[in-house]
Amino acid sequence: MTYAVAVRTLCAFTAKSGDLDVRFTPGPTAQEGIEGHAIVRGRRASGYLAEVTLGGSYLHLRVRGRADGYDPALNQLEEIKTHRGPLAAMPANHRALHWAQAKIYAHLMCQNRALTGMRVALVYYNIADHRETVLIQDHTASELEAFFIEQCRCFLAWADQEQTHLQARAHALEALAFPYPVYRRGQRDLAVAVFKVARHERRLLAQAPTGIGKTVGTLFPLLKACAGGIVDKVFFLTAKTSGRQLALDALKTLCEGPQDESHTPPQPSALRVLELTAKEKTCEFPDLACHGDSCPLAKGFYDRLPDARQAAVQAGMLDKKALRAIALEHQVCPYWLGHDLAQWSDVVIGDYNYYFDGSALLHGLATDNQWRVGILVDEAHNLVERARAMYSAELSETALSAVRNASPPLLKKALETLSRAWRKSVRDQTEAYQVLDSIPGALQIALVRANSAISDYLADSPHMVDAGLQQLHFNIAHFLGLCDVFGRHSIFDVHRAPTRKASAKASKETVLCIRNMVPAPFLQPRFQACHTATLFSATLSPWRFYRDMLGLPQDAAWIDVESPFDANQLKVTIVDTISTRYQHRAQSIMPIADLMAGQFLRQPGNYLSYFSSFDYLDQVAAEFARRFPEIAVWAQSRNMNESAKEAFLERFGAAGAGIGFAVLGGAFAEGIDLPGQRLIGAFVSTLGLPPFNPINEQLRLSLANTFGARHGYDYAYLFPGMQKVIQAAGRVIRTPSDRGAVFLIDDRYAQARLRELMPRWWNVGVAESALTLPDKATAQPY
């Protein structure tokens, strides 16, 4: 059976040695790399061949890839690398890797054209000064073949192990059984839909209520699709750490198999599962630079990597803790070991950015290796805002001024020129917030020149650490990258805010922002690159909104899964006698307090009460505590740390009784689980609409221009607001045995168009009259 491997992967496996060195050296951006390759090729004579697809075999190993260029007249194979700064600063192990790639391509070209030898060239193009450095070696075809065979032999034992693993994986997944005696209501419909879209290379939006078992219900069919050869890899993408843990738990449950049947569960290594975690949460030595002269885990990293990799793939299930243990046992960096293992894992669990960000690891691996990837996007309603943030960029004049004032003489001129161009571009602005029709060309030129100067300076001073300068470089580079793709999907706006200077005539600092409004154009290629994708959440209605905003194809499938809950489990009451509009909030405080106290006294227990802002929350909480001191209350505060959040949730004991005050859309409005008596009700004193401000109004206009005037308000305000409301209400009923009540407090909830956005299974009624305080003797718990 043939095992296929890309040239890049083969060389990275066999030719890397020595230290890990990822200290800050400002290399070219992806766009600069593309442009640099194009410039080099443009300088070549006619007949020059670019992007030559090549392939060859050794025994049962098939090697494939694309050579950067070949000049038939010179019989010269070229491997082109772009760089910035002195070439002498490049680590020797990087150069060795480049030579290995070039020689492999040269062998494949000799074999392809029946050549007896070839000139092999490494072409280093400096994007700063546009100069080429060409290093040449002459090799006979037999020398190149010997080198190719040597690399293949080094890889062959691993390839054989991978073949054995894939066969064992297929066998184990074919025998994989659903881990529970029966499916929950709606869970089988979800699983069938996921498998069908995988088989037909489609994308699916799945609205499935909490309690249905969405994680198991989506992972199980995709693992069965792996068994059938429909997909090669599964990427489970989440917005929060809790989502990653749910996926890890589900996979453990699936691998352990049914508990009431006699069967042999899969061996731990039959399915390789990897959890990817952010660098700041993984680094063992955050105060040390990431290279061998500073960090002990970077010293000799590539020499110790093979043993660490082997131990890791034999472990099978690699969560953050297990990955760290293996990494430290072999004295390698856990973060970079995880990046290496992403190549060899069957299921990868990580944040959205690992696939959807501009330079995403998993998207790059899937593209380079031509994998058929199955993607699962957990809590997919969060992807709209997360993707907007990925493809937005902000530059602060205050940050620029701080760096300029402390910068070395070599950078002063470029940064001062940028400051002047910045001021000139906003000098006619009269409003505190203003949207410009385009990004001023002079400003872009000044940004390019300033960033080139910073890049050259940092490249010439690799041991110099200036966090402010480095951050400015990153921010400008990101901003310029979005300038290159600026279009209708984004806006360019300027904020003007007073400085802290004492003078009344003090200048005003500005913030420039490329603000993404519609992430669809950026996400669409990512969904096209995968074999299949399922996006699931309890709140994906209306589904066309998410299809349009996320760039899913018009033929994307949609399923609204039946709820496992009965209507009599949750009583939803619309209180249309109270308005929570901003201008009516002062009058709403006392009625809301009375309503909450009345419900609590009738049915004591734990409740959550949600508000649109901390100010509104504080006002109602103060009034409630003043009038009903006998009822326990606790409130979310601004900027709560993790321990404070845990303490807040601990107040919801099964035998407790009181009301927690929280902000809608915040940490306690989704992603928390308080089953049974831990939470028996919720009050939602807001429609959840985003605040009416210039930015959101610009969002409304942009969405109206993109999707039609009638969709502008709904896409910018109504749908995101109702999504938050439904998520918050979803905290109350978590299991089939739960009972509870939700009060939707605002007269607008009675509107038909809002009622249509509520879950079908809800038992919704309108309060007949203002709820009065009952006699305490009539209080009844659930």
Side-chain angles (χ1 to χ4, degrees):
M1 185 175 179
T2 301
Y3 185 89
V5 63
V7 171
R8 185 190 296 262
T9 303
L10 173 65
C11 294
F13 190 95
T14 63
K16 277 189 174 181
S17 62
D19 297 351
L20 175 69
D21 190 348
V22 288
R23 75 186 85 187
F24 179 74
T25 51
T29 65
Q31 185 62 34
E32 287 173 330
I34 293 170
E35 293 171 356
H37 277 66
I39 291 171
V40 171
R41 290 164 181 155
R43 293 172 175 177
R44 300 301 185 254
S46 61
Y48 185 83
L49 304 178
E51 294 287 337
V52 184
T53 300
L54 297 168
S57 300
Y58 174 73
L59 299 180
H60 52 279
L61 187 65
R62 178 69 179 172
V63 181
R64 61 194 181 193
R66 285 197 302 268
D68 288 332
Y70 174 66
D71 189 331
L74 298 176
N75 191 28
Q76 180 168 298
L77 187 288
E78 295 187 340
E79 178 72 8
I80 303 170
K81 302 294 181 183
T82 55
H83 72 101
R84 188 191 297 275
L87 196 57
M90 180 178 291
N93 58 353
H94 289 201
R95 182 75 51 78
L97 175 63
H98 299 162
W99 274 122
Q101 292 172 345
K103 289 160 73 173
I104 293 291
Y105 284 125
H107 161 72
L108 296 176
M109 183 65 77
C110 283
Q111 191 177 62
N112 181 268
R113 295 193 165 220
L115 302 173
T116 59
M118 182 171 293
R119 299 178 71 189
V120 184
L122 286 183
V123 181
Y124 289 103
Y125 175 77
N126 191 325
I127 63 170
D129 59 19
H130 311 295
R131 294 181 181 177
E132 291 181 33
T133 301
V134 182
L135 308 179
I136 294 177
Q137 293 180 358
D138 290 310
H139 290 282
T140 64
S142 58
E143 290 172 341
L144 294 170
E145 182 180 24
F147 181 82
F148 174 76
I149 291 173
E150 178 186 0
Q151 306 310 302
C152 289
R153 284 176 174 170
C154 289
F155 186 76
L156 207 53
W158 181 266
D160 291 342
Q161 176 182 280
E162 288 301 286
Q163 287 284 40
T164 301
H165 165 70
L166 292 175
Q167 292 170 0
R169 185 189 79 175
H171 179 74
L173 294 182
E174 284 173 2
L176 187 69
F178 193 72
Y180 302 108
V182 296
Y183 286 91
R184 296 180 186 178
R185 188 166 67 183
Q187 192 178 36
R188 189 177 189 281
D189 293 337
L190 175 63
V192 169
V194 173
F195 187 83
K196 283 183 176 179
V197 296
R199 187 172 58 192
H200 295 291
E201 300 184 43
R202 298 273 300 279
R203 284 83 183 127
L204 171 69
L205 282 161
Q207 181 167 271
T210 299
I212 199 175
K214 295 188 290 291
T215 308
V216 170
T218 53
L219 279 167
F220 177 68
L222 268 195
L223 292 179
K224 299 300 285 186
C226 282
I230 296 172
V231 298
D232 301 318
K233 308 274 186 177
V234 175
F235 296 161
F236 191 98
L237 307 172
T238 74
K240 299 178 181 178
T241 302
S242 57
R244 297 205 307 268
Q245 189 58 52
L246 285 172
L248 289 166
D249 293 343
L251 286 163
K252 183 179 179 181
T253 299
L254 284 164
C255 287
E256 289 175 349
Q259 301 301 305
D260 58 347
E261 295 181 14
S262 58
H263 76 296
T264 302
Q267 294 300 311
S269 59
L271 188 69
R272 297 177 186 165
V273 177
L274 173 68
E275 179 187 13
L276 290 174
T277 310
K279 187 175 183 179
E280 59 268 19
K281 296 181 180 179
T282 313
C283 183
E284 292 291 317
F285 301 102
D287 297 330
L288 300 181
C290 199
H291 59 84
D293 294 333
S294 177
C295 178
L297 299 183
K299 187 72 173 177
F301 174 87
Y302 291 110
D303 300 327
R304 295 191 294 274
L305 177 61
D307 289 341
R309 180 195 291 132
Q310 185 65 47
V313 298
Q314 290 176 343
M317 187 76 67
L318 288 174
D319 59 10
K320 177 185 174 182
K321 183 178 179 181
L323 178 66
R324 178 178 183 267
I326 291 173
L328 296 185
E329 179 184 353
H330 293 272
Q331 285 296 288
V332 297
C333 172
Y335 177 74
W336 292 106
L337 175 61
H339 273 231
D340 181 86
L341 292 171
Q343 174 80 41
W344 314 109
S345 298
D346 305 311
V347 181
V348 182
I349 302 167
D351 189 88
Y352 292 159
N353 66 285
Y354 280 107
Y355 188 80
F356 293 112
D357 205 352
S359 55
L361 168 70
L362 295 180
H363 175 259
L365 287 174
T367 302
D368 290 344
N369 292 281
Q370 301 175 28
W371 291 334
R372 293 167 297 176
V373 172
I375 294 176
L376 297 175
V377 183
D378 181 34
E379 299 294 350
H381 62 274
N382 288 306
L383 185 56
V384 175
E385 284 303 317
R386 284 289 304 276
R388 280 179 179 151
M390 291 176 198
Y391 295 100
S392 296
E394 190 172 272
L395 294 177
S396 165
E397 191 173 6
T398 301
L400 171 61
S401 298
V403 171
R404 185 192 66 215
N405 293 336
S407 65
L410 287 172
L411 295 178
K412 285 281 188 188
K413 182 177 180 181
L415 295 178
E416 288 173 355
T417 300
L418 173 57
S419 292
R420 288 193 296 271
W422 188 311
R423 289 285 180 179
K424 186 176 180 180
S425 67
V426 300
R427 66 185 176 186
D428 296 328
Q429 181 171 338
T430 58
E431 304 294 331
Y433 174 83
Q434 189 166 327
V435 176
L436 280 64
D437 293 334
S438 61
I439 306 169
L443 175 64
Q444 291 189 58
I445 292 171
L447 285 167
V448 169
R449 290 174 177 172
N451 223 36
S452 294
I454 296 172
S455 295
D456 293 342
Y457 175 78
L458 293 174
D460 291 336
S461 311
H463 298 286
M464 193 280 301
V465 178
D466 184 331
L469 186 62
Q470 291 180 4
Q471 189 60 54
L472 179 63
H473 171 73
F474 291 140
N475 291 345
I476 293 177
H478 183 44
F479 191 93
L480 288 171
L482 292 177
C483 284
D484 292 338
V485 292
F486 186 73
R488 290 182 59 197
H489 48 69
S490 302
I491 63 170
F492 174 60
D493 61 34
V494 182
H495 293 261
R496 187 184 292 277
T499 64
R500 296 181 179 179
K501 297 177 182 178
S503 171
K505 296 181 179 180
S507 62
K508 295 181 179 180
E509 302 289 358
T510 54
V511 176
L512 310 179
C513 185
I514 296 177
R515 194 181 306 277
N516 178 251
M517 299 295 190
V518 183
F522 296 105
L523 301 185
Q524 186 178 39
R526 302 304 168 98
F527 286 119
Q528 289 175 340
C530 67
H531 180 85
T532 184
T534 294
L535 297 81
F536 59 95
S537 169
T539 50
L540 283 181
S541 182
W543 69 276
R544 290 180 179 83
F545 164 72
Y546 290 97
R547 182 196 65 189
D548 293 345
M549 294 298 291
L550 297 175
L552 292 163
Q554 290 295 309
D555 68 346
W558 159 253
I559 182 173
D560 189 0
V561 179
E562 183 183 6
S563 174
F565 308 132
D566 293 324
N568 60 12
Q569 288 184 252
L570 182 68
K571 183 179 180 181
V572 182
T573 301
I574 294 173
V575 183
D576 63 355
T577 57
I578 299 174
S579 168
T580 64
R581 295 171 179 84
Y582 184 79
Q583 63 269 31
H584 300 148
R585 285 183 187 170
Q587 299 96 305
S588 73
I589 292 173
M590 188 177 293
I592 291 173
D594 285 344
L595 173 75
M596 292 166 52
Q599 174 63 21
F600 182 88
L601 293 173
R602 270 186 293 274
Q603 292 172 323
N606 291 317
Y607 291 82
L608 266 167
S609 188
Y610 295 101
F611 298 88
S612 56
S613 68
F614 281 104
D615 287 341
Y616 198 13
L617 179 157
D618 292 340
Q619 292 172 36
V620 178
E623 175 69 13
F624 188 90
R626 184 184 68 82
R627 298 185 59 222
F628 307 102
E630 72 278 12
I631 301 177
V633 297
W634 54 98
Q636 179 183 1
S637 60
R638 295 172 175 84
N639 304 316
M640 292 178 79
N641 58 31
E642 288 302 317
S643 60
K645 292 177 182 177
E646 291 173 4
F648 182 93
L649 292 174
E650 287 173 0
R651 296 290 299 269
F652 294 88
I659 301 177
F661 287 70
V663 172
L664 191 71
F668 307 113
E670 65 174 273
I672 61 168
D673 195 25
L674 300 170
Q677 294 301 303
R678 294 190 66 191
L679 184 68
I680 66 167
F683 308 92
V684 184
S685 301
T686 173
L687 239 61
L689 304 179
F692 183 85
N693 58 36
I695 294 176
N696 285 328
E697 273 299 280
Q698 192 61 45
L699 173 62
R700 180 184 63 80
L701 292 173
S702 296
L703 295 175
N705 290 335
T706 302
F707 301 114
R710 66 189 183 91
H711 292 308
Y713 175 82
D714 289 351
Y715 280 22
Y717 290 101
L718 182 60
F719 297 160
M722 284 300 293
Q723 173 261 310
K724 293 177 184 177
V725 170
I726 296 168
Q727 279 287 332
R731 302 311 96 200
V732 177
I733 302 299
R734 310 298 292 174
T735 72
S737 61
D738 288 354
R739 297 290 185 274
V742 169
F743 292 85
L744 304 178
I745 306 170
D746 194 281
D747 58 293
R748 289 167 290 181
Y749 280 118
Q751 296 176 11
R753 65 194 308 245
L754 270 71
R755 296 278 294 265
E756 290 173 357
L757 296 174
M758 297 176 188
R760 290 179 301 167
W761 68 275
W762 277 11
N763 176 18
V764 182
V766 178
E768 295 181 1
S769 62
L771 298 175
T772 58
L773 294 175
D775 186 326
K776 293 183 180 180
T778 65
Q780 295 291 328
Y782 277 112

